[in-house]
């Protein structure tokens, strides 16, 4: 036997490699299958609660397009989500169940793209699997995947653009072809959610820094991505101009109102006569602020009352909009008011958002509460309300073809499994619930900090490791970590922080805005774990070789 092995030295490693690949294939099949079961559990538990407070705008736009009334516009939302709904309607029919099912699948796709980026960065397969689980199983993500909105498609497009950028940087994909793909993804992203400009800039700048090419080629690739993204973003506006579609405006004035109310100077600057009218109300509301903000989103939206106080008799919406813009520009360009906004509002709301620091950030609304919006914003064109009861989707649609029923669970067994999954911390409960092995966890619906705080802590630790470790490795105090892990970790950290920074700066740290952050927090956490594993393995290797790396030892001797 030994002689046979000696004659074929590569046989055993090749055989082990095949076994390893097959094992990992089935591990991934199991992980994806379990994640799909979690999403399915949400779908069948609340099969008629797919509308939240923003869904009506997107679905109304889509209905207008499908009925040939695109020229009419009564909302102020970007049309990207509506175009997506129209596409699904043309492919599968105008059914709200179809839209939500596709959102769940796209959410799983987002987690797979994050895991692929972690793998591209050089992390072992286990840590890519960890990134996938962290980015796919958070209850807040699945909660909002189950209602029509811009969250799911926006995160998918961000992760898709980041995935293409990582492929160009780590796997040497053709730079200009990758840039064109990035541009399409980022352009579609901006059509869906204009606030994603920060994430788009992070991906473009990261590609410019990490792309292994000459400077001119880097500029060309990033420039092509910007050009394609701009062309996609401006296409709807160009079509509107050609067909004479009037603009209904945007939400920019409403967003600016928050900054004006929270931090505007109502004693100095422009429009003092208007500010004098609103000053008593603004001072009263600012005095009522606490270290943990306000108790609910209704109180957080008091700046709209301040805007009403700025009105003069005879003012039109355009007049008050211009006033708000003027005070907003004054607020963010005046050092004293900008400093107040950053220190008193922005940092605090970032903490709330990343660490579930107050009830507005940590407590998701009970899905049963969406029944109000379902009834108020009924959309029979899309089959909403659906009329389905809990568990009815399984009984109505789970009918596997023969001979699969001999190998698959019955409808009652499947529903029982889904119910058990929901009881592991996903279903609304004001108390801690048992997760496994006696461990109790909070849900997204109680008033306790959830798992996002651990993901955020890991992300901030990774940011410190990258900053401090980079400087230490430069002077030779520690071994230089893998370039891929450093670059991939930087991308995940920047995407997570920028995704939180825009809503925290402009509005507040609401629990829904954590949706944009969590997948990249999961990617950051997995890369941090991979760096720790790599450091431990390197330390044991050096110890086995009889001591420190020569460069590290020489640097320490010089310092002594």
């Amino acid at each position: 036997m030994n002689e046979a092995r000696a004659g074929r030295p590569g046989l055993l490693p090749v055989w082990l490699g095949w076994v390893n690949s097959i094992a990992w294939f089935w591990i991934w099949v199991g992980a994806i299958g379990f994640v799909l079961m979690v999403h399915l559990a949400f779908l069948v538990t609340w099969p008629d609660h797919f509308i939240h407070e923003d869904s009506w705008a997107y679905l109304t736009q889509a209905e207008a397009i499908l009925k040939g009334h695109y020229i009419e516009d009564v909302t102020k939302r970007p049309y990207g989500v509506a175009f997506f709904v129209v596409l699904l309607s043309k492919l599968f029919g105008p059914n709200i169940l179809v839209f939500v099912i596709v959102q769940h699948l796209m959410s799983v796709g987002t987690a797979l793209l994050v895991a692929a980026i972690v793998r591209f960065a050089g992390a072992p397969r286990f840590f890519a699997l960890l990134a996938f689980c962290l980015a796919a199983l958070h209850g807040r993500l699945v909660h909002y995947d189950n209602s029509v909105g811009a969250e799911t498609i926006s995160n998918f497009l961000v992760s898709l653009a980041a995935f293409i950028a990582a492929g160009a940087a780590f796997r040497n994909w053709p730079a200009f072809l990758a840039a064109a793909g990035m541009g399409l993804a980022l352009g579609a992203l901006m059509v869906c959610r204009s606030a994603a400009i920060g994430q788009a800039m992070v991906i473009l700048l990261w590609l410019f820094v990490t792309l292994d090419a000459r400077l001119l080629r880097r500029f060309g690739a990033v420039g092509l991505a910007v050009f394609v993204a701009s062309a996609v973003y401006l296409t709807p506006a160009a079509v509107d101009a050609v067909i004479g579609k009037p603009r209904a405006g945007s939400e920019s004035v409403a967003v600016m109102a928050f900054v004006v109310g929270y931090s505007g100077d109502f004693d100095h600057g422009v429009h003092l006569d208007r500010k004098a009218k609103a000053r008593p109300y603004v001072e009263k509301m600012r005095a009522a602020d606490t270290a943990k903000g306000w108790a609910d989103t209704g109180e957080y939206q008091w700046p709209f009352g301040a805007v009403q106080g700025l009105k003069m008799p005879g003012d039109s919406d355009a007049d008050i909009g211009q006033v708000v813009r003027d005070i907003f520009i004054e607020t963010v360009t005046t050092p004293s008011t900008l400093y107040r906004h950053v220190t008193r509002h922005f940092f605090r709301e970032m903490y709330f958002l990343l660490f579930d620091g107050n009830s507005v950030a940590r407590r998701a609304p009970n899905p049963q509460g969406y029944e109000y919006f379902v009834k108020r914003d009924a959309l029979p064109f899309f089959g909403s309300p659906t009329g389905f009861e809990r568990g009815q989707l399984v009984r109505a649609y789970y009918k596997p073809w023969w001979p699969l029923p001999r190998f698959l669970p019955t409808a009652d067994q499947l529903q029982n499994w889904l119910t058990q999954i929901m009881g592991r911390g996903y279903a609304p409960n004001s108390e801690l619930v048992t997760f496994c092995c006696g461990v109790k966890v909070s849900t997204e619906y109680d008033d306790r900090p959830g798992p996002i705080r651990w993901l955020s802590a890991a992300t901030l630790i990774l940011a410190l490791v990258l900053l401090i470790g980079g400087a230490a490795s430069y002077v030779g105090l520690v071994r230089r970590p893998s370039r891929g892990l450093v670059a991939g970790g930087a991308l995940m950290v920047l995407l997570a922080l920028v995704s939180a920074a825009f809503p925290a700066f402009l509005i507040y740290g609401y629990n829904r805005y954590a949706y944009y952050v969590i997948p990249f927090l999961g990617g950051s956490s997995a890369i941090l774990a991979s760096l720790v594993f790599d450091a431990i393995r390197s330390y044991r290797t050096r110890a086995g070789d009889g001591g420190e790396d020569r460069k590290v030892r020489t640097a320490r001797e010089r310092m002594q």
Side-chain angles (χ1 to χ4, degrees):
M1 182 180 293
N2 291 337
E3 292 177 0
R5 285 184 179 178
R8 293 181 293 173
L11 178 61
L12 188 59
V14 170
W15 178 77
L16 287 176
W18 274 101
V19 171
N20 184 57
S21 298
I22 294 172
W24 272 107
F25 171 79
W26 285 109
I27 289 172
W28 274 104
V29 168
I32 295 172
F34 177 72
V35 167
L36 290 174
M37 287 282 285
V38 173
H39 284 258
L40 179 61
F42 269 77
L43 185 69
V44 303
T45 302
W46 297 291
D48 206 4
H49 297 79
F50 303 140
I51 304 292
H52 60 55
E53 55 267 39
D54 291 342
S55 303
W56 177 85
Y58 302 119
L59 292 174
T60 300
Q61 289 173 330
E63 183 175 351
I65 296 172
L66 290 168
K67 289 183 174 180
H69 302 309
Y70 176 71
I71 196 71
E72 301 173 7
D73 193 357
V74 295
T75 68
K76 298 181 179 181
R77 299 300 176 110
Y79 261 85
V81 178
F83 292 151
F84 177 63
V85 170
V86 169
L87 175 62
L88 293 178
S89 298
K90 293 294 186 181
L91 292 174
F92 306 105
N95 192 312
I96 196 169
L97 267 173
V98 171
F99 310 153
V100 177
I101 289 171
V102 171
Q103 283 192 164
H104 281 293
L105 295 176
M106 291 180 71
S107 181
V108 178
T110 297
L112 286 171
L113 290 171
V114 170
I117 294 170
V118 172
R119 183 66 175 150
F120 283 0
R125 290 174 176 173
F126 172 80
F127 298 104
L129 179 65
L130 176 63
F132 171 72
C133 293
L134 293 176
L137 291 174
H138 197 291
R140 201 169 310 182
L141 293 177
V142 194
H143 170 93
Y144 286 112
D145 290 330
N146 209 53
S147 56
V148 175
E151 292 85 7
T152 304
I153 187 172
S154 297
N155 263 11
F156 177 79
L157 292 170
V158 170
S159 59
L160 177 60
F163 168 76
I164 297 173
F170 297 140
R171 296 299 174 95
N172 295 320
W173 291 357
F176 289 98
L177 186 61
M182 279 179 54
L184 291 173
L186 293 177
L189 170 67
M190 295 296 296
V191 174
C192 292
R193 182 172 178 260
S194 56
I197 180 65
Q199 295 150 302
M201 292 299 298
V202 163
I203 296 171
L204 292 170
L205 291 174
W206 182 86
L207 178 65
F208 178 80
V209 172
T210 58
L211 188 63
D212 187 13
R214 293 182 178 180
L215 185 62
L216 187 61
R217 190 174 180 84
R218 294 185 195 180
F219 273 114
V222 174
L224 176 61
V226 172
F227 174 79
V228 174
S230 301
V232 174
Y233 175 66
L234 294 174
T235 296
V239 172
D240 290 349
V242 170
I243 66 176
K245 176 183 171 67
R247 293 190 59 186
S250 68
E251 290 189 302
S252 60
V253 173
V255 171
M256 294 176 187
F258 284 97
V259 178
V260 169
Y262 291 145
S263 300
D265 187 348
F266 280 74
D267 294 316
H268 307 90
V270 298
H271 302 296
L272 283 176
D273 53 341
R274 296 174 179 270
K275 288 179 177 179
K277 289 177 76 273
R279 187 183 302 122
Y281 174 76
V282 171
E283 291 176 347
K284 173 187 173 183
M285 297 307 299
R286 288 181 180 177
D289 192 7
T290 67
K292 290 191 174 182
W294 286 271
D296 56 52
T297 54
E299 291 183 73
Y300 259 104
Q301 295 182 17
W302 67 262
F304 291 136
V307 171
Q308 294 300 316
L310 293 171
K311 283 187 175 182
M312 292 289 190
D315 277 349
S316 64
D317 290 341
D319 294 331
I320 196 63
Q322 186 59 51
V323 170
V324 172
R325 290 187 186 91
D326 293 342
I327 302 176
F328 172 82
I329 294 172
E330 176 190 56
T331 303
V332 297
T333 57
T334 304
S336 59
T337 53
L338 181 59
Y339 177 79
R340 182 193 189 282
H341 189 69
V342 170
T343 56
R344 294 285 300 276
H345 178 77
F346 173 67
F347 286 151
R348 186 185 68 168
E349 296 297 326
M350 281 285 285
Y351 168 73
F352 290 165
L353 181 56
L354 294 176
F355 292 93
D356 279 354
N358 69 349
S359 60
V360 173
R362 64 176 166 255
R363 186 169 53 201
N366 190 319
Q368 296 296 129
Y370 291 150
E371 187 172 352
Y372 165 78
F373 299 105
V374 172
K375 292 181 177 179
R376 187 194 69 177
D377 303 329
L379 293 156
F381 183 79
F382 296 114
S384 178
T386 64
F388 287 109
E389 302 293 337
R390 175 174 300 196
Q392 189 176 346
L393 289 176
V394 172
R395 294 190 296 271
Y397 292 103
Y398 181 71
K399 298 175 182 177
W401 296 332
W402 186 91
L404 292 179
R406 305 179 70 179
F407 308 99
L408 296 178
T410 64
D412 290 338
Q413 289 174 329
L414 177 60
Q415 183 58 57
N416 185 49
W417 291 352
L418 298 176
T419 302
Q420 291 180 6
I421 288 174
M422 292 301 296
R424 303 294 180 178
Y426 286 113
N429 198 314
S430 59
E431 304 295 332
L432 294 175
V433 296
T434 302
F435 173 69
C436 179
C437 308
V439 176
K440 291 190 173 183
V441 297
S442 62
T443 73
E444 288 297 319
Y445 309 99
D446 58 30
D447 199 19
R448 298 179 181 87
I452 189 176
R453 54 180 168 163
W454 305 112
L455 300 180
S456 298
T459 299
L460 295 181
I461 292 172
L462 175 61
L464 291 175
V465 167
L466 295 179
L467 291 173
I468 299 173
S473 64
Y474 181 77
V475 299
L477 292 177
V478 296
R479 186 182 68 90
R480 189 181 297 274
S482 165
R483 171 186 173 274
L485 288 177
V486 170
L491 177 62
M492 291 290 109
V493 169
L494 290 173
L495 284 176
L497 295 181
V498 169
S499 299
F502 262 74
F505 182 87
L506 293 174
I507 309 176
Y508 49 83
Y510 182 42
N511 62 73
R512 190 193 300 171
Y513 301 138
Y515 186 98
Y516 301 104
V517 182
I518 291 171
F520 309 111
L521 294 180
S524 300
S525 302
I527 288 181
L528 175 64
S530 182
L531 282 172
V532 171
F533 173 78
D534 188 52
I536 294 173
R537 184 175 57 181
S538 175
Y539 173 78
R540 295 185 64 179
T541 301
R542 291 200 308 270
D545 291 341
E548 299 175 298
D549 182 81
R550 182 175 60 84
K551 291 183 179 180
V552 175
R553 186 168 60 249
T554 302
R556 289 184 177 176
E557 290 174 354
R558 288 176 179 174
M559 293 185 66
Q560 292 175 355

